[in-house]
Amino acid sequence: MSVFSHREFDRHELVAFHHDPATGLKAIIAVHNTRLGKGLGGCRMYPYASDAEALTDVLRLSRGMTYKAALAGLPQGGGKSVIIGDPRRDKTPEMMRAMGRFVDSVGGRYVVAEDSGTSVPDIRLMAEHTAHVGGLAPPGDTSRTGDPSPATATGTFIGIQAAVRHQLGREDLRGLKVAIQGVGNVGRRLARHLHEAGAQLWVTDSYAPAVEHCVTAFGATPVAMDAIYGLDVEVFAPCALGAILNDDTIPQLKARVVAGAANNQLAEPRHGLRLLDRGILYAPDYVINAGGIIDIHYEGPEYQWSVVEAHLRRIGATLTTIFERARAEQRSTHEIADRMAEEIFRPTARG
Ligand code: NAD
């Protein structure tokens, strides 16, 4: 298993492997770039089929965090960690404490937060052994859960406003037709923002009660899962799965804007170009869904939602800059976003 010649290796500053026989912990920490600050990123626990698969994931995800933090205007770099194991079967408190010691051993270059397979209580166990944790409310503060979904939903709503303004020349969302794929933690809250702004909603979800809630609370129209792509709407907001912008779905789209919170929406980078060819404006996922990382940044004793919200508004301004540059250069928005991020965290890369 190679590291330096790995296809996902991209000048990562640190890749550390750790095995703790006493707890069974097998973990990797990757720090991609710390030029703007410590490498912040979640700890993902997943039953990877092989060590190589875990390495691929941690290299890719940590790099993505650098881009996300840079365009979110945060003084942070990109990092990520993975634990090889099934969170339902293999996770123990002692293993989480061992992970905390591992995080501590890299001396603050990596700051751990929750991700799929880990939760706030797990991060609290890690915090017994390291100060390098993010996204935790102070002990005893029960006013917040540490769930970043409300901030992600608000940021996504602000991003949709920016995309609609740019593409459709509309300030007002009243009567705007929006299709939302996935109305879970983020999608449900996004639906509420859109409903309050007067938008008309079509929703789908593999979990029927989630759809029912939106029908009752926001007057949304329920749609079969496969039908969500081809609706005659102005905005398609993917808030469930990755890779949903692909060779099958892009030809079906009637929406002129794709803007939603799901991660890794483009199946491949070339699908960004296909959207451009079809005249569909795509809000790059890691820019529009940065609300969660912004929220985590402000977590702590001084937390104030008004401060978080003011920062979330910058997502709209950043997207507008991306859209304008993409239009001027006739390039895809995700390519422009990547380039803008690199100009921030690697300013001499092109020099
Ligand atoms: P969630 O699990 O709460 O909600 C996802 C919803 O999608 C669920 O209700 C699920 O039933 C539904 N779903 C699954 N497969 C589906 C399908 N094929 N068609 C339609 N619906 C389907 O997750 P979430 O926290 O709301 O996150 C949604 C997306 O946003 C994910 O891609 C996540 O990675 C991304 N994201 C979330 C945050 C956050 O703060 N939660 C931050 C950044 C990015």
Side-chain angles (χ1 to χ4, degrees):
M1 184 171 65
S2 62
V3 178
F4 294 121
S5 55
H6 194 288
R7 70 185 146 81
E8 297 290 349
F9 185 81
D10 175 43
R11 292 178 265 178
H12 285 70
E13 292 176 12
L14 173 106
V15 184
F17 297 79
H18 181 57
H19 178 214
D20 180 54
T23 62
L25 174 71
K26 279 188 187 159
I28 312 173
I29 292 175
V31 176
H32 175 248
N33 186 293
T34 56
R35 193 175 178 280
L36 300 175
K38 294 173 179 180
L40 174 79
C43 173
R44 178 168 291 190
M45 183 165 184
Y46 185 78
Y48 293 101
S50 66
D51 301 354
E53 200 182 274
L55 177 65
T56 301
D57 215 25
V58 79
L59 290 175
R60 188 177 55 82
L61 294 169
S62 57
R63 177 176 184 271
M65 289 304 291
T66 304
Y67 284 74
K68 187 170 196 160
L71 281 192
L74 294 171
Q76 278 167 201
K80 203 86 183 183
S81 59
V82 293
I83 297 176
I84 301 167
D86 184 336
R88 289 203 180 84
R89 222 187 44 212
D90 304 326
K91 193 164 48 175
T92 61
E94 273 316 308
M95 182 187 277
M96 294 300 106
R97 292 187 178 100
M99 186 65 197
R101 290 191 288 275
F102 180 33
V103 170
D104 206 56
S105 74
V106 300
R109 277 185 286 176
Y110 172 61
V111 178
V112 67
E114 64 172 310
D115 201 88
S116 56
T118 63
S119 60
V120 168
D122 296 327
I123 306 302
R124 286 207 187 283
L125 291 168
M126 294 180 202
E128 292 175 13
H129 296 274
T130 182
H132 306 300
V133 296
L136 287 186
D141 183 342
T142 53
S143 63
R144 300 193 301 284
T145 60
D147 176 5
S149 305
T152 304
T154 301
T156 304
F157 175 68
I158 290 166
I160 288 176
Q161 285 178 309
V164 166
R165 193 178 301 124
H166 180 86
Q167 180 80 337
L168 308 174
R170 284 179 62 158
E171 289 293 334
D172 191 345
L173 302 193
R174 259 176 294 178
L176 185 81
K177 295 180 188 150
V178 184
I180 308 179
Q181 180 183 47
V183 278
N185 285 316
V186 177
R188 177 181 76 244
R189 292 179 168 97
L190 174 65
R192 181 170 48 76
H193 286 298
L194 288 164
H195 173 67
E196 286 170 1
Q200 264 180 278
L201 304 177
W202 282 258
V203 301
T204 193
D205 198 294
S206 49
Y207 182 59
V211 173
E212 285 309 313
H213 171 75
C214 293
V215 170
T216 312
F218 315 127
T221 305
V223 181
M225 288 212 286
D226 285 351
I228 196 78
Y229 304 105
L231 293 177
D232 193 6
V233 293
E234 277 116 1
V235 178
F236 171 49
C239 295
L241 310 164
I244 40 74
L245 299 171
N246 55 45
D247 291 336
D248 282 344
T249 60
I250 292 174
Q252 298 178 46
L253 293 175
K254 295 199 180 79
R256 295 191 59 211
V257 170
V258 175
N263 276 316
N264 305 318
Q265 292 172 31
L266 299 172
E268 294 169 41
R270 68 183 172 86
H271 293 112
L273 285 171
R274 290 210 59 193
L275 290 169
L276 175 68
D277 289 346
R278 288 216 47 214
I280 299 169
L281 183 70
Y282 168 62
D285 45 17
Y286 71 84
V287 184
I288 194 170
N289 73 14
I293 185 181
I294 291 169
D295 193 60
I296 287 171
H297 174 73
Y298 287 101
E299 193 51 271
E302 311 292 325
Y303 185 94
Q304 278 182 311
W305 172 250
S306 58
V307 175
V308 176
E309 205 175 21
H311 198 138
L312 295 175
R313 302 227 155 267
R314 290 162 57 185
I315 290 177
T318 304
L319 282 171
T320 300
T321 306
I322 292 168
F323 298 153
E324 285 171 355
R325 268 180 73 165
R327 179 180 280 171
E329 298 180 30
Q330 277 303 297
R331 296 198 177 273
S332 63
T333 50
H334 78 282
E335 183 188 339
I336 297 293
D338 283 1
R339 215 194 294 157
M340 279 172 55
E342 285 160 12
E343 285 163 7
I344 296 168
F345 75 81
R346 213 177 255 161
T348 56
R350 280 159 203 286

